[in-house]
Amino acid sequence: MTSGSLSVDALLDKMGTELKALLEQRHIDNPLIVGIRTGGVWIAERLQQQLGFEDPIGILDISFYRDDFTQKGLHPSVQPSQLPGDTEGRHIVLIDDVLMSGRTVRAALNELFDYGRPASVTLVTLLDLQRRELPIQADIVGGTLAIGPNQVVKLSGPEPLELNIRQRT
Amino acid sequence: MFEPQDPNRIQLNSKGQLRHFLTTEGLSRELLTEILDTADSFIDMGAKQIKKVPLLRGRTVVNLFFEASTRTLSTFELAAKRLSADVLNLNISTSSTSKGETLKDTLMTLEAMHSDMFVVRHADSGAAHFIASRVTPDVAVINAGDGRHAHPTQAMLDMLTIRRHKGDFAPLKVAIVGDILHSRVARSQIHALRTLGASEVRVIGPKTLLPRHIEAMGVKVFTDMRSGLQDVDVIMMLRLQKERMNSALLPSESEFYRLYGMTTEKLAYARPDAVVMHPGPINRGVEIESAIADGPRSLILDQVTNGIAVRMAVMSMAMSGQTVERQHPHEQAQ
């Protein structure tokens, strides 16, 4: 894949349809949609609208739970996580923009469990870069992409939502 | 005698991040705001069933208190525990003659225990700075009050309390009242308020308890409560530091209360929505009337709660600044 940008609208439509079907299959009618800051929150908002859920979405900032704190330090602009209501016993749909090593999702799961014990967690990601370092798989994937070791993918948004692939500087 | 010089050469790493927290003096508005923002995120942690984050998991924090303290020590301890650190509290009383030697020996012993952070309270000005300049490079030092010099985490929890109640600092007139002379809290508050852009900072107290040349810190000086409190939005009371007074600076406590104690009558001089703060421990009937301390305009207990969040912020930022420095000493910020 060379550098460039991708529109995500088509991917979002497909993800919405698949997520709806999956939730029906699992008999989940009132899930709590939770986005991982920042890109995951944008995707979560769009899927929320698409599926017509009325509850406000939850926002997770996993900075305090990252496993690379000792290497990279604290991110300077940590914002508070906001989970509406009780998560205890809720079915949670956890949403991130890009799934790569799986470490972000691990941190997010750790944080989620500090709010209470959810009934289930369904993982949704816009893009799977298939470079896992942990045994974590998404339930719904917008698309998969193989990028070179010197390329990075970043979602820009919220309007328009666009995936940008560029060379690492 | 150890003379602290240019604190930022030692308290910031090569990327300008906090690695020790010794004083609010000379820190940028951006950095002070970052401390407040980070603390805000920790306050919101209260919504979680498990009120802990793993940021300092596996790290050892030593609270090194050479001077008695209850709330500062306990909020530092709680802050460290909410960051998942292991905590050791040491109360070390010193005799005034053997301090230098005792300090060195104590430090060497604690470093041999592989501590990652020292939180230091000491009766001598410059003690935390002295320790920071002598510890091994990967130990972070947090000043929990040194003599008359600085008490930066107290000042920052006061700033957080003000910001959460008043929003922006720019329009605020703030008065600091009482024993300015002996107060490390007042010094740290003045630096922080000036840097954060409060429109006016005043000090109010009897001449005997005002340091000479305090105007040089950019404050307006008043010896009378009626004029000093006029139009003020925030009133920060100070404790009479009786343990530091070695001469007759005050005629009596009742005289001080009559002139400078915060009473319902004097509070009326300030703006109608003015709030009252006090770093504690409060002396009821000496610095503040009970009706004010326990009343709706008192933020004294908010200050204690906010103190935990500010201390969590400063500890995690300093630990992060130390780690970044150790791992990438010459890299540019990403």
Side-chain angles (χ1 to χ4, degrees):
Chain A
M1 183 86 204
T2 51
S3 299
S5 60
L6 278 173
S7 165
V8 301
D9 290 349
L11 298 180
L12 277 170
D13 286 344
K14 169 178 118 58
M15 289 161 69
T17 313
E18 287 180 14
L19 178 59
K20 193 161 187 273
L22 182 66
L23 292 175
E24 273 166 18
Q25 182 198 328
R26 291 184 177 174
H27 306 292
I28 298 171
D29 53 9
N30 184 28
L32 174 61
I33 309 280
V34 176
I36 300 174
R37 203 182 313 266
T38 310
V41 176
W42 298 331
I43 305 291
E45 279 163 351
R46 293 285 291 272
L47 288 175
Q48 166 95 342
Q49 283 171 10
Q50 220 171 304
L51 272 68
F53 295 124
E54 309 229 315
D55 289 352
I57 64 161
I59 296 173
L60 276 188
D61 189 316
I62 55 123
S63 307
F64 294 146
Y65 287 79
R66 279 165 44 158
D67 64 0
D68 56 1
F69 165 67
T70 50
Q71 281 127 50
K72 287 189 176 162
L74 198 60
H75 195 272
S77 59
V78 184
Q79 289 168 293
S81 295
Q82 299 157 358
L83 288 184
D86 203 355
T87 57
E88 183 83 25
R90 288 292 295 273
H91 291 282
I92 289 173
V93 176
L94 181 64
I95 301 179
D96 202 3
D97 50 358
V98 178
L99 177 60
M100 194 166 81
S101 65
R103 289 177 193 270
T104 300
V105 174
R106 187 203 75 110
L109 286 171
N110 282 359
E111 177 162 13
L112 265 184
F113 274 72
D114 280 354
Y115 281 89
R117 180 181 181 275
S120 71
V121 180
T122 301
L123 181 61
V124 177
T125 184
L126 180 65
L127 214 55
D128 186 346
L129 298 186
Q130 298 184 305
R131 273 204 239 145
R132 217 75 79 242
E133 291 162 8
L134 296 173
I136 283 172
Q137 301 304 332
D139 299 286
I140 304 287
V141 177
T144 57
L145 194 63
I147 59 167
N150 289 321
Q151 287 182 310
V152 284
V153 181
K154 202 162 166 45
L155 183 70
S156 63
E159 203 54 61
L161 273 182
E162 221 170 46
L163 276 168
N164 303 297
I165 300 151
R166 56 178 173 78
Q167 296 296 317
R168 200 186 293 276
T169 48
Chain B
M1 177 64 197
F2 178 76
E3 285 293 328
Q5 285 162 348
D6 189 10
N8 287 339
R9 273 179 51 199
I10 186 164
Q11 69 179 348
L12 301 182
N13 70 14
S14 57
K15 290 178 185 168
Q17 300 162 323
L18 214 56
R19 64 184 299 195
H20 303 292
F21 191 42
L22 308 174
T23 172
T24 52
E25 184 178 0
L27 291 180
S28 67
R29 183 184 291 198
E30 290 68 35
L31 192 59
L32 295 188
T33 304
E34 186 187 332
I35 294 174
L36 297 180
D37 291 346
T38 309
D40 259 330
S41 339
F42 285 126
I43 285 183
D44 292 303
M45 231 175 74
K48 294 197 309 179
Q49 211 174 62
I50 296 167
K51 293 173 183 44
K52 258 181 191 274
V53 290
L55 281 177
L56 296 194
R57 191 163 160 255
R59 306 301 186 104
T60 304
V61 174
V62 181
N63 287 323
L64 203 51
F65 277 55
F66 296 88
E67 205 183 53
S69 161
T70 306
R71 87 196 53 218
T72 304
L73 176 60
S74 51
T75 49
F76 262 114
E77 180 177 358
L78 210 46
K81 286 179 171 169
R82 291 205 176 151
L83 293 168
S84 310
D86 296 312
V87 188
L88 190 61
N89 290 334
L90 295 178
N91 287 296
I92 306 157
S93 47
T94 47
S95 77
S96 55
T97 49
S98 62
K99 270 172 202 157
E101 204 50 45
T102 308
L103 204 52
K104 263 186 210 163
D105 284 340
T106 311
L107 284 181
M108 277 158 54
T109 311
L110 291 170
E111 283 178 46
M113 297 178 194
H114 302 292
S115 309
D116 297 289
M117 181 179 289
F118 294 152
V119 177
V120 181
R121 150 86 49 117
H122 200 289
D124 284 354
S125 301
H129 196 128
F130 173 86
I131 291 175
S133 64
R134 272 156 183 77
V135 287
T136 44
D138 43 358
V139 176
V141 176
I142 311 287
N143 186 2
D146 61 328
R148 297 181 186 189
H149 173 243
H151 193 351
T153 58
Q154 175 68 45
M156 290 313 290
L157 74 87
D158 294 333
M159 298 307 116
L160 183 65
T161 308
I162 293 174
R163 195 175 78 166
R164 289 179 72 85
H165 279 82
K166 296 284 183 189
D168 191 11
F169 287 93
L172 297 182
K173 289 191 168 74
V174 182
I176 304 170
V177 181
D179 181 1
I180 315 284
L181 181 66
H182 298 97
S183 179
R184 54 195 174 207
V185 174
R187 278 170 190 73
S188 291
Q189 285 170 337
I190 292 169
H191 289 305
L193 284 166
R194 301 266 305 137
T195 304
L196 289 167
S199 86
E200 197 175 306
V201 183
R202 303 175 179 181
V203 293
I204 312 173
K207 271 214 172 68
T208 50
L209 294 180
L210 290 170
R212 274 196 284 173
H213 312 304
I214 181 100
E215 302 86 352
M217 292 183 79
V219 297
K220 287 194 178 174
V221 181
F222 293 84
T223 53
D224 167 64
M225 287 288 262
R226 183 188 284 264
S227 52
L229 290 179
Q230 180 113 43
D231 296 329
V232 156
D233 302 277
V234 179
I235 303 165
M236 303 167 97
M237 304 301 296
L238 296 171
R239 186 174 64 85
L240 275 183
Q241 309 255 310
K242 282 175 279 188
E243 71 277 19
R244 289 183 223 286
M245 292 185 192
N246 40 25
S247 56
L249 294 169
L250 276 181
S252 72
E253 285 185 354
S254 60
E255 180 74 357
F256 179 83
Y257 184 63
R258 190 176 66 77
L259 292 170
Y260 299 101
M262 183 46 63
T263 57
T264 312
E265 182 202 352
K266 293 197 199 85
L267 183 54
Y269 301 147
R271 284 177 56 96
D273 60 348
V275 290
V276 180
M277 299 164 58
H278 191 300
I282 60 174
N283 292 316
R284 290 169 189 264
V286 179
E287 299 128 15
I288 191 162
E289 181 186 287
S290 276
I292 303 282
D294 306 328
R297 288 159 74 182
S298 160
L299 303 181
I300 295 173
L301 294 178
D302 296 37
Q303 287 173 272
V304 179
T305 310
N306 293 342
I308 300 172
V310 158
R311 284 165 180 140
M312 288 174 76
V314 167
M315 288 169 127
S316 48
M317 285 169 67
M319 191 58 84
S320 152
Q322 284 290 358
T323 317
V324 168
E325 185 69 6
R326 187 162 66 243
Q327 305 214 344
H328 318 272
H330 304 297
E331 258 178 48
Q332 290 299 306
Q334 290 178 0

